[in-house]
Amino acid sequence: MKEYAARYVMYNTAETWTSLPEFMATTIPIGDQVATTISYENWKEAVICLYPGMEELTRYTVNELHQLVQDNFDLSTYTLGTFSTYYREFQKISWWLLQHGKIHANKERHLFQQGILTSLWAKIARQLEILKPTHHPKDPYDVKD
């Protein structure tokens, strides 16, 4: 797997990756089987260490989510395509932040709504009121709704 990953990057990057000690797997014969002492996961961790800021705990920040919300709200043209892009990007970042305890679900819901133009959100909210009549009006709707 390591060999394949190195094929899809620039030559200099591949050279760096393949020169890591974790890339050079040593094999140990065990009966008729051969065991590899260094796994793909170990090599992947070594590669990630080459790129500061790529650690799992710093993948996304709440500020990045706020910036996405603001950028989307500031759009002059709003189409189904731009909304879809916003939704996908928002889901990607917010899901990670939720999984790592960086934000709470209500904060996520409020932020998603803040990224939608006020005139469009009024129409969406009205439709959601019809579809979810038991939903309390002061509670934010789930992003999936």
Side-chain angles (χ1 to χ4, degrees):
M1 204 122 148
K2 298 180 268 189
E3 298 81 15
Y4 298 117
R7 290 182 186 177
Y8 293 97
V9 294
M10 300 293 285
Y11 177 78
N12 291 343
T13 303
E15 194 172 62
T16 302
W17 289 5
T18 57
S19 68
L20 292 169
E22 290 82 357
F23 186 82
M24 306 299 174
T26 56
T27 56
I28 302 169
I30 302 174
D32 295 336
Q33 304 292 324
V34 175
T36 304
T37 58
I38 300 173
S39 71
Y40 169 78
E41 290 301 320
N42 295 99
W43 174 75
K44 182 175 129 182
E45 287 175 26
V47 169
I48 289 172
C49 287
L50 295 173
Y51 302 92
M54 289 302 297
E55 298 86 14
E56 185 64 23
L57 293 177
T58 58
R59 183 179 293 177
Y60 299 111
T61 65
V62 175
N63 285 342
E64 288 175 297
L65 189 59
H66 279 281
Q67 189 61 52
L68 173 67
V69 167
Q70 187 61 51
D71 291 347
N72 194 70
F73 186 79
D74 291 343
L75 288 175
S76 58
T77 306
Y78 216 72
T79 65
L80 180 59
T82 56
F83 180 77
S84 296
T85 301
Y86 170 63
Y87 177 77
R88 284 190 306 273
E89 285 297 307
F90 187 91
Q91 285 290 81
K92 176 179 70 175
I93 296 170
S94 67
W95 181 85
W96 189 91
L97 293 171
L98 284 166
Q99 295 299 314
H100 290 85
K102 305 288 185 181
I103 61 171
H104 296 287
N106 270 355
K107 177 73 170 173
E108 175 211 23
R109 294 168 183 166
H110 278 292
L111 282 173
F112 183 72
Q113 293 171 13
Q114 289 173 2
I116 301 171
L117 292 175
T118 309
S119 58
L120 178 58
W121 179 249
K123 294 174 185 174
I124 292 171
R126 181 65 190 131
Q127 189 68 27
L128 288 169
E129 288 169 8
I130 295 167
L131 293 173
K132 297 186 171 278
T134 59
H135 185 85
H136 192 279
K138 298 229 180 202
D139 289 338
Y141 287 97
D142 193 322
V143 174
K144 295 174 191 162
D145 293 341

